Amino acid sequence: MCNGIVAPLVEDDDERRHAVERHSGAERGTQSHDKAVPQALAQNFRQGWADSARTLPPLPGAAYAAKRRAALSERFPGERIVIPSGGLKLRSNDFDFAFRPHSAFVHLTAEQGTSAVPDSVLVFEPHGNGHHVTLFTRDRSPRDAGPRAAEFYSDRRHGEFWIGRRRTLAETADAFGVEAATREGLERALGGAAVPTRVVRGEDALVDAAVAPAPEAERELLTFLSELRLVKDEFEIEQLRVAIDSTVAGFHDVVAELRHATGLGRGERWIEGTFNRRARLDGHGLGFDTIAASGAHSTTLHWIHNDGPVRDGDILLLDAGVEADSFYTGDVSRVLPVSGRFSDAQRRVYELVYAAQSAGIAALRPGARYGDFHDAAVRVIAEGLEAWGLLRDAEAALAPDSTLYRRYTLCGSGHMLGLDCHDCAAARTETYMEGRLEAGHVLTVEPGLYFQPDDLTIPEELRGIGMRIEDDFLITADGPVILSGGLPRAADEVETWMASLM
Ligand code: GLY
Ligand code: MN
């Protein structure tokens, strides 16, 4: 990777100050490898650039985002609402993690993958009966004059020579359908007359400093923003289909690479990389770190070390999701017998988890309690465990004051899915966990059984087997629609599908 260029030697004091402040190496004390910019070069950088302004169409989801903003405006009349995108997070020294905007910001703007600009902030200013919305953001770096004239070549975090072209303010306004302003005006916009203000806190230091904490009001805002995402609109459903179709394609890719993975020391990494390649090819990236768990690693729910071998005769539990450019994500799990055929013991466990998932799916319908599918799934599991002698009494194990079956299932049997893998997490219990399914909900059904390798309560041949089957569903007025149906579910079908790809 190339080294940086130190802030230019320029005459204008203001320009010099900004150049130095904005130069990431200088900010972080890492300029040792940077080279100074002589004044002649700084002057030279200022001229000779073509006008590359564009006219942008509205973002694909802009009209839907406008409706969501209207709902937020209606919920908090007379209050200022501040929704930051969040900023870059330092990885180490002078490199950041890839930027991914806050999901509430995405939901209210329909922002897309690579065009997302760190440190953008959406401000709803009370106006008449509603709000006037402004998107404060970083516009393009001016190249000819002014305090930011050196930014485009000297600022490795925000300079366009370093990270690529940004939208102009006019392009931002066109794309989002809201007024756009430079971030320089944000502090003033948040000061001035005392207006009751709610912010999504912890995403933007300037916002946090400008607005006094109001924990209860902020919690209420987060709850509203989460609940606003419970029922998906047409755009969101389309984007979830895009994400899940890519996720399915990633599973096909993995099966096609499975043989190759068995010949490698850390075959799980090959599997992870194979899926991740699909995620980057088709979408923005991953919705969450890929879980590529082979052998006994399958009993660790979120095995993301992925540093183990993939061996013939073992299973591979792959739990993965492609995040589309729109930031909606898939979340699918399959258990793959590495040889292409389940052993008897593996098949026994698979059939029980499959039956549990089938029972969960059968409980999905609009109007059902959200908890119904979980209850249906774990009932099948508890009864199966009783039949195997692992539970003495399934009914007693299912009782709320016992839940002994959870020694082998550990986690819940599903969750809402959307911009976040575990979507709508700040929704109230009564609207989510104890609420009812509605048309437009998208959720996963993913019961599992995890027989830890050192669990002496388990017959030896089952120890070290962890299985989860996970699919994504849209609830409609007519019942559930499987969105991940491009993958087989039943054991025989999994084997047939694998044979066609290996
Ligand atoms: N697929 C990861 C999870 O649901 O926790
Ligand atoms: Mn999941």
Coordinates of all heavy atoms in Angstrom, one line a residue, residues 255 257-268 271 293-296 308-316 336-343 346 498 502:
V255 N -20.6 -25.2 -1.8 CA -20.6 -26.6 -2.1 C -19.7 -27.0 -3.2 O -19.0 -28.0 -3.2 CB -22.1 -27.1 -2.4 CG1 -22.1 -28.5 -2.9 CG2 -22.9 -26.9 -1.1
E257 N -16.9 -25.8 -3.8 CA -15.5 -25.7 -3.4 C -15.2 -26.6 -2.2 O -14.1 -26.7 -1.7 CB -15.3 -24.2 -2.8 CG -15.2 -23.2 -3.9 CD -14.0 -23.2 -4.7 OE1 -12.9 -23.4 -4.2 OE2 -14.1 -23.0 -6.0
L258 N -16.2 -27.4 -1.8 CA -16.1 -28.2 -0.6 C -14.9 -29.2 -0.7 O -14.1 -29.4 0.2 CB -17.4 -28.9 -0.3 CG -17.7 -29.2 1.2 CD1 -17.4 -28.1 2.1 CD2 -19.2 -29.7 1.3
R259 N -14.9 -29.9 -1.9 CA -13.8 -30.9 -2.1 C -12.4 -30.2 -1.9 O -11.6 -30.8 -1.3 CB -13.9 -31.5 -3.5 CG -14.9 -32.5 -3.7 CD -14.2 -33.9 -3.7 NE -15.2 -34.9 -3.4 CZ -15.6 -35.2 -2.1 NH1 -14.9 -34.7 -1.1 NH2 -16.5 -36.1 -1.9
H260 N -12.3 -29.1 -2.6 CA -11.0 -28.4 -2.5 C -10.7 -28.0 -1.0 O -9.5 -28.2 -0.6 CB -11.1 -27.1 -3.4 CG -9.8 -26.4 -3.4 ND1 -8.7 -26.9 -4.0 CD2 -9.5 -25.1 -3.0 CE1 -7.7 -26.0 -3.9 NE2 -8.1 -24.9 -3.3
A261 N -11.7 -27.6 -0.3 CA -11.4 -27.2 1.1 C -10.9 -28.4 2.0 O -10.1 -28.1 2.9 CB -12.7 -26.7 1.7
T262 N -11.3 -29.6 1.6 CA -10.8 -30.7 2.5 C -9.3 -31.0 2.3 O -8.7 -31.6 3.2 CB -11.6 -32.0 2.1 OG1 -11.3 -32.3 0.7 CG2 -13.0 -32.0 2.3
G263 N -8.7 -30.4 1.3 CA -7.3 -30.7 1.1 C -6.5 -29.6 1.7 O -5.2 -29.6 1.5
L264 N -7.1 -28.6 2.4 CA -6.3 -27.5 3.0 C -6.2 -27.6 4.5 O -7.1 -28.1 5.1 CB -7.0 -26.2 2.6 CG -7.3 -26.0 1.1 CD1 -8.2 -24.8 0.8 CD2 -6.0 -25.8 0.3
G265 N -5.2 -27.0 5.0 CA -5.0 -27.0 6.5 C -6.2 -26.3 7.2 O -6.8 -26.8 8.2
R266 N -6.5 -25.1 6.7 CA -7.6 -24.4 7.3 C -8.8 -24.3 6.3 O -9.1 -23.2 5.8 CB -7.1 -23.0 7.8 CG -6.1 -23.1 8.9 CD -6.0 -21.9 9.7 NE -5.4 -20.8 9.0 CZ -5.1 -19.6 9.6 NH1 -5.4 -19.4 10.9 NH2 -4.6 -18.6 8.9
G267 N -9.4 -25.4 6.1 CA -10.4 -25.4 5.1 C -11.6 -24.5 5.4 O -12.3 -24.0 4.5
E268 N -11.9 -24.3 6.7 CA -13.0 -23.4 7.1 C -12.7 -22.0 6.5 O -13.7 -21.3 6.1 CB -13.1 -23.3 8.6 CG -13.6 -24.6 9.2 CD -13.7 -24.5 10.8 OE1 -13.1 -23.6 11.3 OE2 -14.3 -25.4 11.4
I271 N -13.8 -21.9 2.9 CA -15.2 -21.8 2.8 C -15.7 -20.3 3.1 O -16.5 -19.8 2.4 CB -15.9 -22.7 3.9 CG1 -15.5 -24.2 3.6 CG2 -17.4 -22.6 3.9 CD1 -15.9 -24.7 2.3
A293 N -18.3 -23.6 10.2 CA -17.9 -24.4 11.4 C -18.0 -25.9 11.0 O -19.1 -26.4 10.8 CB -18.9 -24.1 12.5
S294 N -16.8 -26.5 11.0 CA -16.8 -27.9 10.6 C -16.5 -28.7 11.9 O -15.9 -28.3 12.8 CB -15.7 -28.1 9.6 OG -15.9 -29.4 9.0
G295 N -16.9 -30.0 11.8 CA -16.7 -30.9 12.9 C -17.3 -30.3 14.2 O -18.4 -29.8 14.2
A296 N -16.6 -30.5 15.3 CA -17.1 -30.1 16.6 C -17.3 -28.5 16.7 O -18.0 -28.0 17.6 CB -16.2 -30.6 17.7
G308 N -10.3 -24.0 11.4 CA -10.2 -25.4 11.4 C -10.2 -26.1 10.1 O -10.5 -25.5 9.1
P309 N -9.8 -27.4 10.1 CA -9.9 -28.1 8.8 C -11.3 -28.5 8.5 O -12.2 -28.5 9.3 CB -9.1 -29.4 9.1 CG -9.2 -29.6 10.6 CD -9.4 -28.2 11.2
V310 N -11.5 -28.9 7.3 CA -12.8 -29.4 6.8 C -12.5 -30.9 6.4 O -11.8 -31.1 5.4 CB -13.4 -28.6 5.6 CG1 -14.6 -29.3 5.0 CG2 -13.7 -27.2 6.1
R311 N -13.1 -31.8 7.1 CA -12.7 -33.2 6.9 C -13.8 -34.1 6.4 O -14.9 -33.9 6.8 CB -12.2 -33.9 8.2 CG -10.9 -33.3 8.8 CD -10.4 -34.2 9.9 NE -9.2 -33.7 10.5 CZ -9.3 -33.0 11.7 NH1 -10.4 -32.9 12.3 NH2 -8.2 -32.5 12.2
D312 N -13.4 -34.9 5.5 CA -14.4 -35.9 5.0 C -15.0 -36.7 6.2 O -14.3 -37.0 7.1 CB -13.6 -37.0 4.1 CG -14.2 -37.0 2.7 OD1 -15.0 -36.2 2.4 OD2 -13.7 -37.9 2.0
G313 N -16.3 -36.9 6.2 CA -16.9 -37.6 7.3 C -17.5 -36.6 8.3 O -18.4 -37.0 9.1
D314 N -17.0 -35.4 8.4 CA -17.5 -34.4 9.3 C -18.7 -33.6 8.6 O -18.9 -33.8 7.4 CB -16.4 -33.3 9.6 CG -15.5 -33.9 10.7 OD1 -15.9 -34.9 11.4 OD2 -14.5 -33.3 11.0
I315 N -19.3 -32.8 9.4 CA -20.3 -31.9 8.8 C -19.7 -30.5 8.8 O -18.7 -30.2 9.5 CB -21.6 -31.8 9.6 CG1 -21.3 -31.6 11.1 CG2 -22.5 -33.0 9.4 CD1 -22.5 -31.2 11.9
L316 N -20.3 -29.6 7.9 CA -19.9 -28.2 7.9 C -21.2 -27.4 8.2 O -22.2 -27.6 7.4 CB -19.4 -27.8 6.5 CG -19.2 -26.3 6.4 CD1 -18.0 -25.8 7.2 CD2 -19.0 -25.9 4.9
L336 N -24.0 -29.2 6.0 CA -23.5 -29.9 4.8 C -22.6 -31.1 5.2 O -21.6 -30.8 5.9 CB -22.7 -29.0 3.9 CG -23.4 -27.6 3.5 CD1 -22.4 -26.7 2.8 CD2 -24.6 -27.9 2.6
P337 N -23.0 -32.3 4.8 CA -22.0 -33.4 5.1 C -20.9 -33.3 4.1 O -21.1 -33.2 2.9 CB -22.9 -34.7 4.8 CG -24.0 -34.2 3.9 CD -24.2 -32.7 4.1
V338 N -19.7 -33.2 4.6 CA -18.5 -32.9 3.8 C -18.3 -33.9 2.7 O -18.0 -33.6 1.5 CB -17.3 -32.7 4.6 CG1 -16.0 -32.4 3.7 CG2 -17.5 -31.5 5.6
S339 N -18.6 -35.2 3.0 CA -18.4 -36.3 2.0 C -19.6 -36.2 1.0 O -19.5 -36.9 0.0 CB -18.5 -37.6 2.7 OG -19.8 -37.8 3.2
G340 N -20.6 -35.5 1.3 CA -21.8 -35.5 0.4 C -22.9 -36.4 0.9 O -24.0 -36.3 0.5
R341 N -22.6 -37.2 1.9 CA -23.6 -38.1 2.6 C -23.6 -38.0 4.1 O -22.5 -38.0 4.7 CB -23.4 -39.5 2.2 CG -23.4 -39.8 0.7 CD -24.7 -39.5 0.0 NE -25.8 -40.4 0.5 CZ -26.3 -41.4 -0.2 NH1 -25.8 -41.7 -1.4 NH2 -27.2 -42.2 0.3
F342 N -24.7 -37.8 4.7 CA -24.8 -37.8 6.2 C -24.5 -39.2 6.7 O -25.0 -40.2 6.1 CB -26.2 -37.4 6.7 CG -26.5 -35.9 6.4 CD1 -27.4 -35.6 5.4 CD2 -26.0 -34.9 7.2 CE1 -27.7 -34.2 5.2 CE2 -26.3 -33.6 7.0 CZ -27.2 -33.3 6.0
S343 N -23.8 -39.3 7.8 CA -23.6 -40.6 8.5 C -25.0 -40.8 9.3 O -25.8 -39.9 9.4 CB -22.5 -40.5 9.6 OG -22.9 -39.6 10.6
Q346 N -25.3 -38.4 12.2 CA -25.6 -37.0 11.7 C -27.0 -36.9 11.1 O -27.7 -35.9 11.4 CB -24.6 -36.7 10.6 CG -23.2 -36.5 11.0 CD -22.1 -36.6 9.9 OE1 -22.5 -36.8 8.7 NE2 -20.9 -36.4 10.2
M498 N -26.0 -31.5 -3.3 CA -24.5 -31.5 -3.2 C -23.9 -32.3 -4.3 O -22.9 -32.0 -4.9 CB -24.1 -32.0 -1.8 CG -24.4 -31.0 -0.7 SD -24.0 -31.5 0.9 CE -22.2 -31.5 0.8
M502 N -20.7 -31.1 -6.6 CA -19.3 -31.5 -6.1 C -18.5 -32.3 -7.2 O -19.1 -33.0 -8.0 CB -19.4 -32.3 -4.9 CG -19.7 -31.4 -3.7 SD -20.1 -32.3 -2.2 CE -18.5 -33.0 -1.7

